[in-house]
Structure formats: C-alpha cells, structure tokens
Amino acid sequence: MGIDLRQRLVIGVASSALFDLSESNRVFEVDGLEAFRAHQRDRMDDPFPKGVAFSFVERLLGLNEVRPEDPPVEVVLLSRNDAETGRRAFRAIAHYGLGIERAAFLHGDSPHDFLPAFECELFLSANEDDVRAAIDAGRPAGRVLGGTVDSDPGDREVRVAFDFDGVLADDGSETIFSSEGLDAFRAHEKANETDPLAPGPLKPLLDRLAAIQEVELSAAGYQPRLKISLITARGAPAHERVLTTLETWGVRLDQVFFLGGVEKTSVLKTLRPHIFFDDQRTHLDRAAPFVPSVHVPFGIKNTH
C-alpha cells in the first residue's frame, strides 16, 4: 500500500525558499541557462547556504520525533529546475540532514499545478509569479521575502506566527476597511461580532498545525515544541469577531496579539517566530530584516 499524504501536514518548498540561491541566480541572469547548468555541475558537492525558510522547515520536520512510526509532517521539494541541475539541491538536503525524500523537477514549469497531487497545505517560494499563480488558483502559497536564519540548537521550539485577515480568514472585513475607512470597519465588525469569518488561504495549514499540537499533548514523555501565534492590527471592539471565528473553528492559539494599529515589528522581534505570514507588504517589509517573513498575496490588498 502506498503512503497516504492526506494524513500528514505537507509543505511544498521551492529550492529558492529553502536555500540562498543568490549566487546561482546571478549566473543565470548574467550568463544564461547553459552557464547556470555548468555552474551547478561544477559545484555539485558544495551545499547551498541556508535560505529564509530553512530553519522553519528543519524544525517542522523535527516534530516527526513525536510519532516516528507515522510522521505527521512531510516536506516535498518542488523545483523549476530539471532533474540534473536539481541534483545539487538534493545533495544539499542530504548535507544538512533534512528528512526530505520526495521532489518534483519541472524543467521550467510552474509548480502550483502539482500542489493538489502532493496534498500540499502550503507552497513556499521566492518566485513571485509562482506564488501568485498558486493563490489565483485557490491554492495556499507564500513568497519568502527575507529574515534571519535562526538555527540555535539550544532552542527546539517551532514558532509560527500568522496575521488574521487575508491570511487565516478571508478579506471580507478588509474590503470594508479599504472602501469605507476605519470607523465603518469598526462598526461593521461590532455589528457582526457573533458571525465567524470565512476561512482564508492558510486556514487548512492552521488546522494541520493544531492537529500536530494535539498529537504532542497526547504523547507520553514528550515536551511539546510547536507554538502558534496570531498578530493582528485589529483592536477592540473588532477583536470580538476574531475570537468568535477562532472559537467556531475549534482552534486555540498559544499567543494572540491585538495591536490596534501599533507596528508589528516590535512584537515580532520579541516573539522571534521561525516564520511569519502576512498579506500586507507594509508590515512584512519592516519585519523581514528581523524574522523570516512570508507574503501571502491574497485579497483586496493584493489586487493586480
């Protein structure tokens, strides 16, 4: 019987998110495809430097220790390279000891069509076109922007932080804010505080992470490591609808921050998440120098 990925949290990751490919990209942009291929062949055994999503992926795979006979996390490499030039990425994966066994090398094609085939709850890439194509097709994706690579071996937690509107929830409320302003938004949210918002693009990811937390809590002799946080620009009274939505979804988060328009970066610098998802570049551009940051180009704030 084959492996059923539907029972696992599956993350699809491009080599551009997992590794720092800046040197290879420069070769491709300046000298073209054949020079790029030669560059990879000549450096086949030189591991790529770690990229923005590396620490998150490494720590997430580490959660498989909670149930090694039936690991709850799967990471699949989804690459635009052909298999020959993609070999270097697989060798780097082996060098770093990452538990990634599966890959798709697509020879220039966009990976987003294959996300359902691997049951992916998230696709991470540095390629903006690939990420937007995935989001436009209704598939969960985020573009890695930057952030420090935190690999402190003494810190075994996996800290995942989400924005709310346009990420975990849909952007219905943001539409009110964008078209009518803050006062109208607050009035609308107060009037609808008992009505949960519809799910956004990363709600399935949240569900899978919450399920892994349940596995951690039920494992004898295991110290839970996964922590999930919500960081939203909402404040009172608009917070009530967030809490209603989370309660309806049956999700209890470890930390929830209602900032009421206060800049998020200070909280993020203290929280030190291994990945932070937001739909607004204004927040992410400030946060990216300090934490691994991912843009989810969904909804009214990302029309194009």
Side-chain angles (χ1 to χ4, degrees):
M1 181 180 294
I3 294 172
D4 186 358
L5 295 180
R6 292 174 297 178
Q7 305 306 312
R8 301 180 182 180
L9 164 59
V10 184
I11 305 294
V13 60
S15 50
S16 61
L18 191 59
F19 300 118
D20 178 357
L21 302 184
S22 53
E23 181 185 8
S24 296
N25 289 338
R26 279 195 297 271
V27 172
F28 179 79
E29 291 168 2
V30 173
D31 298 318
L33 180 58
E34 289 308 315
F36 170 82
R37 287 174 169 162
H39 180 83
Q40 302 312 320
R41 287 194 300 269
D42 292 345
R43 293 160 178 77
M44 190 62 66
D45 293 315
D46 296 341
F48 292 115
K50 298 176 182 180
V52 174
F54 184 95
S55 185
F56 168 66
V57 168
E58 180 181 44
R59 289 166 182 269
L60 198 66
L61 285 167
L63 296 178
N64 286 334
E65 294 175 11
V66 71
R67 198 174 62 193
E69 73 283 1
D70 181 18
V73 177
E74 182 82 30
V75 176
V76 179
L77 181 68
L78 298 177
S79 174
R80 275 183 168 269
N81 289 322
D82 58 32
E84 181 62 28
T85 54
R87 263 170 126 182
R88 189 180 174 194
F90 247 150
R91 292 195 184 184
I93 285 168
H95 169 82
Y96 290 116
L98 295 177
I100 299 175
E101 301 178 5
R102 296 170 180 82
F105 296 104
L106 301 171
H107 204 171
D109 290 339
S110 176
H112 80 271
D113 285 336
F114 296 89
L115 299 180
F118 287 101
E119 305 291 340
C120 290
E121 237 73 74
L122 175 67
F123 172 56
L124 291 174
S125 175
N127 187 306
E128 182 174 8
D129 291 339
D130 284 351
V131 169
R132 286 192 177 275
I135 290 289
D136 290 346
R139 292 161 187 157
R143 181 190 177 201
V144 297
L145 298 179
T148 55
V149 179
D150 178 9
S151 298
D152 179 3
D155 174 15
R156 304 197 71 200
E157 287 187 347
V158 188
R159 296 182 292 275
V160 184
F162 295 96
D163 179 35
F164 185 69
D165 296 279
V167 177
L168 295 180
D170 76 1
D171 68 331
S173 296
E174 283 191 334
T175 301
I176 299 293
F177 177 82
S178 295
S179 61
E180 301 180 37
L182 180 58
D183 289 342
F185 165 79
R186 287 174 171 167
H188 180 269
E189 294 307 286
K190 180 64 178 174
N192 293 277
E193 65 182 22
T194 60
D195 296 329
L197 283 157
L202 297 196
K203 165 63 163 49
L205 172 63
L206 176 65
D207 290 338
R208 289 288 192 182
L209 291 172
I212 292 173
Q213 284 187 318
E214 292 300 318
V215 173
E216 286 190 307
L217 289 171
S218 64
Y222 177 90
Q223 180 64 41
R225 306 203 299 254
L226 177 58
K227 289 190 174 181
I228 307 171
S229 302
L230 176 68
I231 305 175
T232 173
R234 286 176 180 246
H239 73 292
E240 283 285 351
R241 199 171 187 197
V242 175
L243 298 176
T244 296
T245 302
L246 294 175
E247 183 178 14
T248 301
W249 290 347
V251 175
R252 183 175 298 171
L253 303 182
D254 294 285
Q255 299 101 0
V256 179
F257 299 89
F258 295 106
L259 299 184
V262 171
E263 166 54 37
K264 296 180 180 182
T265 304
S266 294
V267 169
L268 288 164
K269 288 168 70 175
T270 302
L271 187 65
R272 295 183 301 115
H274 298 101
I275 201 160
F276 168 54
F277 299 96
D278 203 311
D279 66 321
Q280 296 191 42
R281 285 294 302 263
T282 53
H283 299 306
L284 290 162
D285 289 342
R286 296 187 188 111
F290 308 103
V291 298
S293 300
V294 177
H295 181 222
V296 181
F298 174 81
I300 189 68
K301 299 292 187 181
N302 294 281
T303 54
H304 62 95

